[in-house]
Amino acid sequence: MPGSPTNAIYIVVPTYNEAGNLESLVREVLAQDDRLRVLVVDDASPDGTGEIAERLARETGRVDVVHRPGKLGLGTAYIAGFKRAMELGAEFVGTMDADGSHDPRSLPAFIATAARADVVVGSRYLRGVSVINWPMQRILLSWFANRYVRFITGLKLTDCTSGYRLYRRDALASIRLDSIKSRGYAFLVEIAFRTHKLGWRLAEVPIVFYERRQGRSKMSRGVILEAAVTPWRLALGGRRYARRS
């Protein structure tokens, strides 16, 4: 596989049983900018997602794959992807869901905003509510969850739980990634909080969030509980996150 360009932008995509979504997502991402590469972190998907990722790596030369032995949590998948992307020379590292809920056509806006920010977050709530095919109770739950996180942590983001992001390499490198405790979606809150406390510049771009195209959501009761507790843990221990490693 050819080496990465010095200005490479890696998009980390954690997967588990996303065989029906992965190929179209990867090809749409790569079409947005020649600097973009995709790094798939697959948790031994029984539906063949990992094999599809390997085929795309051979066909495109712009896809890398990390295979893990099983479902180990979203947060650890991101950490594995971040570490591998930085080993490969990434200047920026992004994250996207594999299920089609994040539109790759927004990536140029992320890249442009990264010229003045170290962490760029795609927000569903920057311009009202930009969510497609969610029932009202789910929209309200997400909206109130973000209000809850902002109130406790002091984060100024309108969408603290968005998984569509772009990080400057130095911002990620300043965090002791292995010390991050969150394993589910609370990971997104924790890494935003840590980068904020370390003085990195956070910015948002508006996105439209689409309900997943195929398959089922992987949200569990334990993930929801962790998301409720994590903001308090971060706020109460905030001082120790204000030191760069």
Side-chain angles (χ1 to χ4, degrees):
M1 183 175 295
S4 303
T6 56
N7 59 349
I9 303 167
Y10 278 79
I11 306 299
V12 176
V13 181
T15 58
Y16 184 78
N17 285 350
E18 298 290 356
N21 300 314
L22 184 62
E23 180 160 3
S24 61
L25 173 71
V26 167
R27 295 194 184 280
E28 288 178 44
V29 168
L30 298 181
Q32 303 307 312
D33 192 294
D34 290 342
R35 294 169 290 177
L36 284 163
R37 300 178 68 100
V38 176
L39 200 159
V40 177
V41 182
D42 186 65
D43 281 1
S45 298
D47 71 346
T49 300
E51 289 77 7
I52 293 171
E54 290 289 357
R55 174 173 58 79
L56 290 168
R58 293 191 299 271
E59 291 177 0
T60 68
R62 294 166 62 194
V63 174
D64 296 271
V65 189
V66 174
H67 295 282
R68 305 203 303 168
K71 292 186 71 175
L72 302 174
L74 182 66
T76 62
Y78 280 139
I79 290 171
F82 292 160
K83 288 181 175 180
R84 181 59 178 152
M86 288 191 286
E87 288 173 0
L88 292 168
E91 180 180 358
F92 289 91
V93 184
T95 56
M96 289 181 70
D97 291 348
D99 59 13
S101 56
H102 295 149
D103 189 344
R105 290 174 296 181
S106 296
L107 282 168
F110 280 79
I111 295 168
T113 303
R116 59 176 175 82
D118 305 301
V119 180
V120 184
V121 177
S123 175
R124 297 162 288 186
Y125 307 113
L126 193 60
R127 297 177 180 172
V129 178
S130 300
V131 178
I132 305 297
N133 292 333
W134 266 13
M136 182 56 66
Q137 61 266 30
R138 190 171 176 187
I139 293 174
L140 290 173
L141 176 63
S142 175
W143 187 82
F144 278 113
N146 275 286
R147 290 290 295 259
Y148 172 81
V149 170
R150 289 200 304 274
F151 175 75
I152 296 169
T153 64
L155 282 169
K156 303 303 182 183
L157 300 172
T158 63
D159 197 343
C160 304
T161 59
S162 171
Y164 199 174
R165 297 183 178 182
L166 187 63
Y167 302 93
R168 189 178 300 277
R169 176 197 180 92
D170 290 345
L172 286 179
S174 72
I175 300 172
R176 292 166 292 148
L177 291 170
D178 289 330
S179 72
I180 296 179
K181 296 181 179 180
S182 305
R183 291 295 177 259
Y185 290 94
F187 176 90
L188 299 166
V189 174
E190 181 159 353
I191 200 166
F193 181 83
R194 287 193 178 209
T195 51
H196 167 68
K197 282 293 183 180
L198 289 169
W200 298 105
R201 300 165 298 171
L202 277 63
E204 291 183 295
V205 296
I207 62 168
V208 177
F209 183 90
Y210 300 88
E211 178 59 289
R212 62 180 295 121
R213 295 174 184 173
Q214 299 185 47
R216 293 164 46 183
S217 172
K218 303 173 183 70
M219 184 78 72
S220 69
R221 189 172 298 177
V223 167
I224 294 172
L225 178 62
E226 181 188 51
V229 171
T230 294
W232 290 105
R233 173 173 61 79
L234 296 173
L236 294 173
R239 286 188 178 181
R240 71 170 168 270
Y241 300 124
R243 298 188 299 273
R244 296 190 183 184
S245 58

